[in-house]
Amino acid sequence: MSGSGHILEMILYSQLNFTPYIAIALYPFRNSLRFSKRITTLLIVAAAILQVFIGLWAGMWGGNAGMLSALSTIMYALFYFLAVRTDFGKALFTLLMLSNIANFITACSKCIEGIYFPTLAIQGYRWSFSLIMFLLELLLLIPLAVYMGRTYSTALEQDTAKPTWHFIWLIPATFYVEWYYRLYGSSESALAFAMDPSNTIFLLLINLGALLIYHMVICHIRVIDTNVRLSEQNHVLITQQLQYENLKERIDQARQAKHDMRHHVLLLQSLLEDQKYAEAKQYLEAYKLTMPDDRSFRFCDHYTVNALLLYFAQQAKNQETDFEATVQVPEDLNIPDNVLSVLLGNLLENALEASRHVETGKRKITIKSVCSGGMILFKISNTYAGTLLPNKNGLYLSTKHTGSGIGLASVRSIVEQNQGRMEITHTDTQFIVTVMLEQYRTKIMR
């Protein structure tokens, strides 16, 4: 074939080995692009031209195949991290996963080419290689794209599992190192290795295992999110139930007061008619002491926050834990009720559980809040016993679960989603969590 024809073959191969994968890699992050679609498209074109240059270099001037493969991957990674604004672990996991799939399709294409076009297969970058690669990409990448759009994208959106992404990229990284070693690190040439059908079958099994592990990881992340969502819904239901119970209690108290008032009035009327004013005054003072304390029903003006505080105050009383609340939460706070329920519910539940392990008489939970200038701050402290074990994400081992538990993770997720701030401190006896949110930027949880 003429030189220009072979150049076209190499250009075609370079594009087949880049464009479909970058499109699939960007799709899950289509709403998290760092630049506009126009600039992102220009970056893709620039990266594609660089890929063509690397392909021409490898095809026309030779060079170390392993080095060129690594150079191509590095260029691909630089472009990817430049174009996408997301968690580093998510981007790296996606990049390595697709790189492994691309390596398999490339090796499999060369093996099939060696079977049906043995003469062309040893020449490298011929039309037969690109044709088989194109057909394999149609067969494998279309289902993969559907999976990425329906399942994988959903997992990426779950911020509740964010700590998990910090280390699970090591799974595809391990497979990538295995790929690289088998293709370029052994004494056998990469071409000879790829053209051996037994090697291709072995690599197929490895890839099937890798895909299964990837899917299990995604399922695990979705389970974490489901558990967090269920916990959030549970707190919302608790709040609704508490509101109902408080209303029912008020109605019962009003009914009882109406029933008792007639007896009180008759007795006072009798005392006054007998001019026993001192006894009447004493009776009124005694009756006043039996009246419900309105302060116990009103921690703040915000209905949902007040209901939560009433609930946990009662729970603290049941386990002999002092509960102090000094809160300033206005009735018209511009933060959705479900966000407040999950945020305060998780923090107070953790505080209650931690205090339970403290010696009776020393248990205490304190909550303070201030709302000013469009910002609201919550500070919750509780006594605890034992040793705190912080993990690398700044969370702490829970007495209820192994790991950091979903309580603090859920709170951190809410804070991060709303560009707020969360700080965890502690002394030898006190565990303190401070959360600050900008109420006008708070998102409604779905």
Side-chain angles (χ1 to χ4, degrees):
M1 177 175 282
S2 63
S4 60
H6 190 45
I7 290 176
L8 290 175
E9 287 179 320
M10 288 186 286
I11 292 175
L12 177 61
Y13 163 77
S14 298
Q15 292 309 299
L16 286 173
N17 202 33
F18 174 75
T19 307
Y21 300 102
I22 198 62
I24 294 176
L26 289 175
Y27 181 73
F29 301 103
R30 59 193 179 279
N31 297 322
S32 304
L33 297 177
R34 194 179 302 276
F35 308 106
S36 66
K37 292 182 178 179
R38 180 173 176 272
I39 294 178
T40 302
T41 302
L42 292 176
L43 288 173
I44 293 175
V45 171
I49 292 173
L50 285 175
Q51 281 287 355
V52 168
F53 176 75
I54 294 174
L56 292 175
W57 183 2
M60 299 181 64
W61 299 295
N64 187 295
M67 182 195 72
L68 292 176
S69 176
L71 179 62
S72 175
T73 301
I74 291 172
M75 185 277 297
Y76 181 24
L78 289 175
F79 162 78
Y80 196 56
F81 289 121
L82 178 65
V84 173
R85 185 193 294 111
T86 189
D87 182 76
F88 176 79
K90 295 179 181 180
L92 188 57
F93 182 92
T94 306
L95 174 70
L96 291 170
M97 179 179 67
L98 290 174
S99 294
N100 291 336
I101 294 173
N103 286 335
F104 170 71
I105 291 178
T106 300
C108 190
S109 299
K110 179 57 67 175
C111 179
I112 296 175
E113 184 190 26
I115 295 173
Y116 292 100
F117 306 95
T119 303
L120 296 177
I122 61 176
Q123 297 179 26
Y125 305 109
R126 297 306 305 270
W127 63 267
S128 54
F129 186 31
S130 297
L131 174 62
I132 295 171
M133 180 180 291
F134 174 72
L135 294 175
L136 284 177
E137 287 179 347
L138 285 179
L139 180 64
L140 299 177
L141 295 188
I142 291 178
L144 177 63
V146 173
Y147 178 82
M148 297 285 281
R150 293 182 178 179
T151 304
Y152 188 71
S153 297
T154 304
L156 290 175
E157 294 171 357
Q158 311 309 329
D159 291 328
T160 51
K162 186 175 180 180
T164 306
W165 291 103
H166 293 166
F167 60 86
I168 64 171
W169 61 267
L170 290 170
I171 298 173
T174 302
F175 285 106
Y176 182 83
V177 171
E178 174 70 13
W179 269 109
Y180 193 87
Y181 173 77
R182 288 191 173 276
L183 288 175
Y184 307 113
S186 63
S187 58
E188 185 179 16
S189 68
L191 178 61
F193 180 87
M195 291 181 65
D196 187 343
S198 62
N199 290 333
T200 301
I201 294 174
F202 177 72
L203 294 177
L204 172 63
L205 295 176
I206 289 180
N207 265 269
L208 289 176
L211 291 174
L212 177 61
I213 292 175
Y214 300 153
H215 180 66
M216 291 175 63
V217 168
I218 299 306
C219 290
H220 170 71
I221 289 173
R222 297 182 71 177
V223 167
I224 291 175
D225 181 71
T226 299
N227 289 339
V228 172
R229 300 302 175 193
L230 289 174
S231 176
E232 294 167 355
Q233 293 174 11
N234 183 55
H235 284 297
V236 173
L237 290 174
I238 287 175
T239 302
Q240 293 174 346
Q241 181 183 0
L242 183 59
Q243 291 170 350
Y244 168 76
E245 290 176 353
N246 285 339
L247 179 60
K248 184 176 180 295
E249 184 178 356
R250 286 300 186 91
I251 293 174
D252 291 340
Q253 288 178 349
R255 184 182 295 113
Q256 183 65 39
K258 182 179 179 181
H259 177 268
D260 294 341
M261 184 58 66
R262 183 168 60 90
H263 302 290
H264 296 308
V265 170
L266 290 174
L267 179 59
L268 285 171
Q269 185 178 12
S270 176
L271 290 173
L272 291 174
E273 288 176 350
D274 294 339
Q275 298 183 351
K276 296 181 179 180
Y277 303 118
E279 289 84 346
K281 181 178 180 181
Q282 184 179 4
Y283 183 83
L284 283 174
E285 291 294 336
Y287 175 69
K288 183 179 178 182
L289 294 175
T290 66
M291 296 178 63
D293 185 359
D294 286 341
R295 291 175 298 175
S296 64
F297 294 96
R298 178 71 64 176
F299 285 105
C300 64
D301 293 332
H302 194 280
Y303 192 76
T304 298
V305 174
N306 188 65
L308 277 170
L309 294 177
L310 283 171
Y311 172 78
F312 283 103
Q314 183 61 48
Q315 295 298 310
K317 181 179 180 181
N318 293 343
Q319 73 169 34
E320 301 181 68
T321 300
D322 290 338
F323 188 91
E324 293 183 4
T326 307
V327 293
Q328 299 176 14
V329 185
E331 183 178 3
D332 59 348
L333 184 69
N334 193 29
I335 294 179
D337 287 349
N338 63 335
V339 173
L340 290 170
S341 294
V342 175
L343 184 76
L344 294 179
N346 276 304
L347 291 176
L348 289 171
E349 185 177 42
N350 287 351
L352 199 65
E353 176 65 22
S355 296
R356 185 170 64 86
H357 300 277
V358 178
E359 179 184 349
T360 303
K362 297 182 179 180
R363 301 170 183 170
K364 187 174 183 179
I365 296 173
T366 303
I367 175 171
K368 298 180 180 179
S369 76
V370 177
C371 186
S372 178
M375 305 292 295
I376 186 164
L377 181 143
F378 292 99
K379 183 177 181 180
I380 298 176
S381 62
N382 61 267
T383 52
Y384 73 93
T387 303
L388 294 174
L389 300 175
N391 64 16
K392 64 180 181 180
N393 299 311
L395 303 180
Y396 287 79
L397 297 182
S398 169
T399 57
K400 297 180 292 182
H401 309 280
T402 57
S404 60
I406 62 176
L408 285 176
S410 179
V411 171
R412 170 162 287 184
S413 174
I414 293 173
V415 172
E416 291 178 348
Q417 288 176 32
N418 296 286
Q419 292 81 48
R421 184 175 179 181
M422 174 179 173
E423 182 181 68
I424 300 175
T425 57
H426 64 88
T427 65
D428 292 339
T429 58
Q430 293 283 326
F431 184 80
I432 306 164
V433 180
T434 305
V435 172
M436 183 170 63
L437 292 176
E438 184 175 353
Q439 57 172 309
Y440 299 107
R441 295 180 63 177
T442 305
K443 302 176 183 177
I444 296 177
M445 295 171 58
R446 294 173 293 176

